[in-house]
Amino acid sequence: MWQELGINLEAHDNLLHVLEGFYENIYLSQKNRPEGMEYFDKVVSCIHGARIQELFKAKKENRLVLGTFCVFVPEEIVWAANGICVGLCAGAEIGFELAEEVLPRNICPLIKAFFGFKLSKVCPFVEICDFVVGETTCDGKKKAYEIFNEYKETYVMHVPQKKDKSSFDLWKNEVINFKSEIESRTGNKISQDDLLKAIELINKRREALKRLNSLRKADPPPISGLDVLLINQISFYDDPERFTAKVNELCDELEERIKRKEGVCPPGTPRIIVSGCPMAIPNWKLHYLVETSGAIIVGEESCVGTRNIRNLVEPKGSNVEDLLEDIASRYLKIDCAIFTPNAERIENIKSMIDEFSAHGLINYSLKFCDPYTTEVYKVNKTIDKVPTLNIETDYSQEDIEQLRTRIEAFLEILK
Ligand code: BJ8
């Protein structure tokens, strides 16, 4: 299967070998994990196996498989046309030397990583996709997609940068165009019923993740931030129906744990919200550092976190076009830092601090990410309830000790 996908088998073996050690160290060494994590451990342990096989089979049955790098792509439309949408990995320093042959050195590591995975031919997910859907979010991605298209066909959606009426009209039009694109590629005409079913499928997944998040309000939290981060990362590529059922099963178990006051750390452990850039799989660096330094992460204000699940599509429309408008309005509520102004993000951070009784906020930015590094100023100016720590990093391991020292000093302040 991997050969058929054109995977570089030697590089791929090395990658899986490194990942395995990494996972054992970071995940399996955690104490008192919920039993329900077994499913998610299994998904990771065959990250390039079982799910790829499912996608492979789906392609043989003529189903469209497409890949994305941003939560702005309205996946409901893909599912409605009997296609499959997967979020692609961009969370590790893989193939950076090859990526730097086509990209500037000083570009965000997430962008470098999606090129690196493709150019080094180690990611079966990107290889199995019929095409990739990009978006005009930050400048780095926008320009990178032009080059990426030379290696993998890339369809780019125009995401506006403001949220006024004309921006909404532009975005709604993009959503309508996207639907036509998917229909013509799949040959399936999307009906109202198809759209309603797809909206329900993805809403249910978001609701399960919301339920999981809300259980972290307990003191002590019944699950670690590392585990919730992993579950969020898996949500991007697992089968949505199965994934939702597994998250709900886990939540049932966590509710029992809360009743027994059983947690993954002692009560009163410093509680942290992490806010900023997305952490694509297998980027576990910050969570690992924080949770092995005596604190617990209780929320991620991130696209791999609440930014992706906060809002559901509210299907009020009674025909396809109106439903597309409902989809468009849900997606335009996303409070990504590429928008100006972006006041709702700050309000969302504030309410997360209150809801999750956080003691501190960590602003997490990837190096060279202008939207998030610049927005840190406004976040810090407005958040006065809890101390904040600004972290700017990449996927390397070089700054680990330096970051640990800064995190430990921050936790001393919180204590
Ligand atoms: S909706 S956060 S997933 S754009 S980290 S590549 S912004 S330079 S990933 Fe994002 Fe969509 Fe927004 Fe979410 Fe650019 Fe920044 Fe890199 Fe980023």
Side-chain angles (χ1 to χ4, degrees):
M1 179 178 69
W2 288 335
Q3 251 160 1
E4 212 174 305
L5 290 172
I7 296 294
N8 176 336
L9 294 179
E10 200 186 324
H12 183 251
D13 275 356
N14 289 339
L15 168 70
L16 290 194
H17 184 67
V18 173
L19 247 183
E20 200 181 293
F22 221 55
Y23 195 75
E24 257 179 48
N25 250 343
I26 295 180
Y27 274 91
L28 304 182
S29 63
Q30 294 180 95
K31 302 260 172 320
N32 200 17
R33 293 175 83 208
E35 278 173 22
M37 283 309 297
E38 203 185 311
Y39 169 76
F40 302 98
D41 284 338
K42 221 188 272 163
V43 172
V44 177
S45 73
C46 49
I47 191 164
H48 288 174
R51 184 64 181 142
I52 288 294
Q53 244 164 354
E54 283 176 355
L55 298 177
F56 205 68
K57 188 166 165 270
K59 287 243 324 196
K60 301 259 178 232
E61 288 160 5
N62 278 332
R63 288 182 73 185
L64 179 87
V65 179
L66 65 78
T68 64
F69 293 109
C70 177
V71 298
F72 251 98
V73 178
E75 58 177 308
E76 289 83 351
I77 293 173
V78 184
W79 295 104
N82 196 30
I84 297 177
C85 188
V86 287
L88 296 170
C89 306
E93 217 171 26
I94 306 282
F96 272 25
E97 277 163 28
L98 292 171
E100 281 172 13
E101 286 174 16
V102 288
L103 293 174
R105 226 176 156 251
N106 294 344
I107 198 165
C108 148
L110 192 145
I111 300 173
K112 222 186 262 186
F114 73 67
F115 266 81
F117 273 101
K118 173 69 192 132
L119 298 182
S120 53
K121 295 192 168 66
V122 291
C123 176
F125 285 96
V126 72
E127 300 306 332
I128 210 163
C129 285
D130 291 288
F131 71 114
V132 159
V133 184
E135 21 41 65
T136 60
T137 46
C138 65
D139 286 351
K141 278 212 226 166
K142 194 160 58 194
K143 298 308 290 178
Y145 289 134
E146 290 175 18
I147 309 172
F148 199 71
N149 186 45
E150 293 176 14
Y151 301 94
K152 185 89 191 173
E153 189 188 354
T154 307
Y155 173 95
V156 177
M157 293 189 78
H158 188 166
V159 177
Q161 314 275 291
K162 294 182 84 175
K163 291 187 177 173
D164 49 19
K165 169 82 173 69
S166 53
S167 304
F168 179 74
D169 292 343
L170 179 152
W171 173 239
K172 185 184 154 193
N173 217 26
E174 276 301 284
V175 171
I176 294 170
N177 292 342
F178 183 58
K179 176 204 158 247
S180 308
E181 180 72 25
I182 297 297
E183 283 181 334
S184 81
R185 283 179 187 258
T186 55
N188 297 337
K189 184 104 186 104
I190 297 176
S191 70
Q192 185 189 343
D193 199 41
D194 296 330
L195 258 188
L196 282 169
K197 280 194 190 128
I199 289 171
E200 196 188 345
L201 176 77
I202 301 306
N203 274 353
K204 279 191 174 160
R205 187 183 68 201
R206 292 195 181 111
E207 271 169 334
L209 288 168
K210 269 156 101 95
R211 180 179 170 208
L212 173 65
N213 261 337
S214 74
L215 297 173
R216 301 162 86 188
K217 291 177 186 166
D219 183 24
I223 185 164
S224 67
L226 264 169
D227 278 338
V228 178
L229 174 65
L230 181 76
I231 294 170
N232 274 299
Q233 290 170 335
I234 291 174
S235 72
F236 286 94
Y237 65 89
D238 200 5
D239 172 76
E241 213 169 306
R242 178 179 56 217
F243 173 86
T244 303
K246 292 293 174 188
V247 173
N248 279 321
E249 268 173 36
L250 172 69
C251 289
D252 294 342
E253 181 191 345
L254 298 185
E255 278 167 0
E256 291 305 314
R257 281 190 149 206
I258 293 173
K259 278 189 209 147
R260 297 194 299 270
K261 298 203 175 311
E262 191 183 327
V264 286
C265 56
T269 298
R271 303 163 66 85
I272 307 290
I273 300 276
V274 172
S275 165
C277 290
M279 294 171 178
I281 198 165
N283 177 9
W284 305 308
K285 184 171 162 180
L286 182 66
H287 279 55
Y288 173 70
L289 284 172
V290 170
E291 297 197 334
T292 51
S293 299
I296 181 96
I297 292 178
V298 290
E300 294 78 18
E301 189 280 318
S302 157
C303 287
V304 184
T306 53
R307 203 178 301 131
N308 186 32
I309 57 172
R310 184 177 296 115
N311 302 303
L312 304 180
V313 177
E314 291 169 28
K316 298 188 211 90
S318 52
N319 55 49
V320 169
E321 187 167 351
D322 288 352
L323 286 173
L324 290 176
E325 182 163 332
D326 297 335
I327 290 176
S329 50
R330 181 264 163 202
Y331 278 82
L332 209 56
K333 285 187 194 133
I334 295 171
D335 55 352
C336 173
I338 59 120
F339 284 98
T340 183
N342 192 29
E344 59 269 42
R345 174 164 171 239
I346 316 254
E347 288 313 308
N348 285 329
I349 298 173
K350 276 192 199 163
S351 38
M352 279 183 76
I353 291 173
D354 288 343
E355 274 177 52
F356 291 85
S357 316
H359 300 114
L361 173 78
I362 297 184
N363 286 307
Y364 170 78
S365 311
L366 286 172
K367 275 188 189 159
F368 310 113
C369 170
D370 292 339
Y372 283 93
T373 47
T374 310
E375 207 159 88
V376 165
Y377 168 80
K378 287 219 161 179
V379 175
N380 285 346
K381 203 171 154 199
T382 332
I383 304 295
D384 49 12
K385 274 196 168 170
V386 296
T388 59
L389 172 70
N390 304 334
I391 291 208
E392 215 178 303
T393 185
D394 52 21
Y395 297 158
S396 76
Q397 302 297 303
E398 281 158 22
D399 58 354
I400 288 261
E401 286 317 313
Q402 189 204 354
L403 287 179
R404 188 181 288 286
T405 308
R406 291 187 58 213
I407 289 165
E408 283 172 353
F410 180 61
L411 298 182
E412 275 308 310
I413 299 172
L414 302 189
K415 281 175 196 161

